[in-house]
Amino acid sequence: RMLYNSHVFNAPLFHNKINIDSTHKDFTIAGINVSFDGPSLMFPEDFNSFLNTGDSFVTDFNITVDGTISRNYPTGTLIIENRDVCIFQEPDKSYLILFNNFSVIKECEIEPDFKSCHLFYQIPSMKETKKCIHALLNEIDYRKGTYETFHAIRMAFLLYAKMKGIYALHSASFLYRDKLWLISAPAGTGKSTHANLWNREYGTPVINGDLN
């Protein structure tokens, strides 16, 4: 353990997976069956409209969320680095994403076949804080963790969707005469403003302001 923590061994660290109040949810988006396993407090409410309770549910894409005291040490090739993320391609063709700006969700592992992703939120050291594990788990900002989980899932889900020939379009959308209308343009152009104008003038529901 000491050799791993000191990075003498150039390999991923072992994870101490810890959770409280775990839940299992199945939902379907764009024809893709998704399973979620993790803290109930980190399950994004946005997915409630897509829940699937059918007996014949077969998972296409699996999401797990776990707390961990240790962190992965990247062993692969850095392929993307910006202020938001660092993305590594590991030797086994999996991907490791480190989130630079998130305070709860710290990393995401994506399997080589893109069929599953594993999110980790970091738990402070019991030795450093002098607190028991239950106290530390209760102090986690789960509301912020839910927001970060939603955005962390998106990247992995879109990689899998691309394999199925499904692509997301950066656009605002609203419902008008039983059809979904998309307005696509660069950021800051006024997509959401335009969709909100339709909502104000004609009562058309705004479906999404960013990605469809």
Side-chain angles (χ1 to χ4, degrees):
R1 173 71 68 176
M2 290 175 63
L3 291 171
Y4 275 116
N5 289 342
S6 302
H7 308 314
V8 174
F9 291 161
N10 191 22
L13 296 178
F14 292 110
H15 282 292
N16 299 301
K17 298 173 184 176
I18 304 166
N19 264 335
I20 58 171
D21 190 28
S22 289
T23 187
H24 176 87
K25 301 278 189 179
D26 294 325
F27 55 98
T28 302
I29 293 180
I32 297 173
N33 291 336
V34 184
S35 291
F36 173 96
D37 291 283
S40 60
L41 295 172
M42 283 196 193
F43 180 74
E45 292 183 358
D46 305 77
F47 295 144
N48 283 334
S49 299
F50 303 92
L51 289 178
N52 191 317
T53 57
D55 295 332
S56 59
F57 188 89
V58 178
T59 301
D60 299 313
F61 180 75
N62 187 64
I63 300 160
T64 54
V65 183
D66 281 306
T68 179
I69 294 173
S70 61
R71 290 287 307 282
N72 260 343
Y73 181 67
T75 60
T77 303
L78 179 65
I79 56 175
I80 293 177
E81 181 179 15
N82 57 42
R83 66 180 184 179
D84 297 319
V85 296
C86 293
I87 302 179
F88 297 84
Q89 186 171 33
E90 298 294 306
D92 64 355
K93 302 302 181 184
S94 64
Y95 289 90
L96 173 64
I97 304 174
L98 304 182
F99 299 103
N100 300 329
N101 290 334
F102 286 176
S103 61
V104 180
I105 300 295
K106 291 297 185 179
E107 64 184 63
C108 173
E109 296 172 349
I110 303 175
E111 295 299 317
D113 59 5
F114 300 140
K115 290 184 178 180
S116 63
C117 73
H118 203 155
L119 306 182
F120 292 97
Y121 59 95
Q122 192 169 14
I123 301 169
S125 167
M126 292 181 285
K127 183 177 180 180
E128 292 176 5
T129 60
K130 305 290 193 292
K131 295 180 181 180
C132 70
I133 189 63
H134 292 290
L136 292 173
L137 285 170
N138 287 326
E139 289 179 3
I140 291 170
D141 188 348
Y142 288 98
R143 183 179 296 273
K144 190 153 193 180
T146 302
Y147 169 83
E148 292 177 358
T149 295
F150 179 84
H151 288 279
I153 288 171
R154 186 168 72 174
M155 191 176 299
F157 176 82
L158 292 178
L159 279 172
Y160 178 78
K162 189 178 76 166
M163 291 175 52
K164 297 292 186 180
I166 301 169
Y167 297 87
L169 187 65
H170 180 212
S171 58
S173 59
F174 59 89
L175 189 67
Y176 177 64
R177 292 186 177 178
D178 296 325
K179 291 185 178 181
L180 191 67
W181 298 76
L182 306 183
I183 307 166
S184 183
T189 304
K191 300 184 297 297
S192 296
T193 301
H194 192 84
N196 288 329
L197 282 171
W198 276 76
N199 175 261
R200 190 182 74 190
E201 298 296 328
Y202 305 107
T204 56
V206 175
I207 305 302
N208 192 293
D210 181 51
L211 208 61
N212 294 279

